[in-house]
Amino acid sequence: MSKAKQNKLEDVSAAILANHVCPELAAQAMNLVMGDGNADADIVFIGEAPGKNEDEQGLPFVGASGKFLNDMLASAGLERSDVYITNIVKYRPPNNRDPSPQEKQAFWPYLAEQLEIIQPKVIVTLGRHSMEFFLPSARISEQHGQAVRVTIQHPDGKGREWLVVPLYHPAAALYNGSLRQTLIDDSMQVVSALNKY
Ligand code: URA
């Protein structure tokens, strides 16, 4: 792994702490959950916010959803160490409530910085909260598994072009078994999007 990129990602964590981002969430959380995987990855997965297990371990997607995310990766011939996994919001919201628009906005500069450092070829959004950032008018039921090239305004005011593949959240498959196969099939689309890049 590129040491330079890893060091820069560590600077982003330090900036979140130094800037006291979302102090109410921070006060109730055990850990800042920045990300896991490979800073040189071509694919970045972006979820919503850490849950209980993630908060305890300081790593994203290590609970039940994470187990299924690992299965999705395996079906696409990938391991966690091949990709980078993060969330929009980096602290666990109390009782796993949805992150608020203000919390998502507060963390956006840091997520944008993670993307600037990693420079992924493909961004995979997991669930509605993450998709809304990149494809605000898309409907997940119509767009899932399909790659779209979008220009997103970053906090410096400049547009960046990203190739985005929106997926349902892995937790959706835990509640709705019929989405399991959809998520597996869509994970393979992620690799196709990368191969066509
Ligand atoms: N759900 C998410 O969106 N992110 C995690 O890290 C865990 C569960």
Side-chain angles (χ1 to χ4, degrees):
M1 184 186 303
S2 146
K3 190 86 181 93
K5 284 192 177 188
Q6 192 52 44
N7 287 346
K8 285 185 189 165
L9 289 175
E10 280 160 23
D11 289 346
V12 180
S13 310
I16 291 174
L17 296 173
N19 296 334
H20 301 286
V21 179
C22 292
E24 323 73 43
L25 290 188
Q28 297 183 59
M30 292 173 75
N31 278 298
L32 173 67
V33 181
M34 275 308 283
D36 186 26
N38 189 334
D40 289 314
D42 286 334
I43 309 174
V44 168
F45 287 78
I46 306 174
E48 176 181 321
K52 185 170 186 290
N53 293 290
E54 289 76 21
D55 183 36
E56 282 169 7
Q57 294 183 43
L59 289 168
F61 284 99
V62 289
S65 309
K67 208 156 170 286
F68 185 55
L69 178 59
N70 293 348
D71 292 347
M72 288 161 51
L73 291 172
S75 323
L78 297 167
E79 292 181 15
R80 283 175 80 106
S81 56
D82 295 321
V83 301
Y84 189 81
I85 303 170
T86 188
N87 285 303
I88 301 181
V89 168
K90 317 293 194 204
Y91 291 117
R92 180 191 181 201
N95 305 315
N96 297 344
R97 66 159 167 76
D98 279 355
S100 70
Q102 293 79 5
E103 288 161 351
K104 290 187 275 185
Q105 213 49 54
F107 277 105
W108 164 236
Y110 305 96
L111 174 61
E113 189 58 27
Q114 285 177 297
L115 297 174
E116 290 281 6
I117 294 166
I118 299 171
Q119 289 294 328
K121 292 183 174 150
V122 181
I123 292 175
V124 180
T125 60
L126 298 171
R128 176 171 62 87
H129 291 279
S130 173
M131 183 182 77
E132 279 172 1
F133 253 84
F134 296 89
L135 303 167
S137 52
R139 295 172 68 146
I140 187 76
S141 56
E142 291 165 7
Q143 197 64 50
H144 68 89
Q146 296 176 54
V148 207
R149 203 169 279 286
V150 292
T151 302
I152 301 291
Q153 192 180 330
H154 272 229
D156 63 4
K158 295 193 190 131
R160 302 285 192 292
E161 215 184 70
W162 299 113
L163 187 63
V164 179
V165 184
L167 262 55
Y168 284 102
H169 195 285
L174 308 178
Y175 303 116
N176 176 354
S178 66
L179 283 180
R180 212 184 147 85
Q181 193 57 45
T182 305
L183 270 159
I184 298 278
D185 294 344
D186 287 354
S187 305
M188 296 184 210
Q189 292 306 315
V190 172
V191 176
S192 308
L194 179 62
N195 291 340
K196 283 194 222 131
Y197 184 84

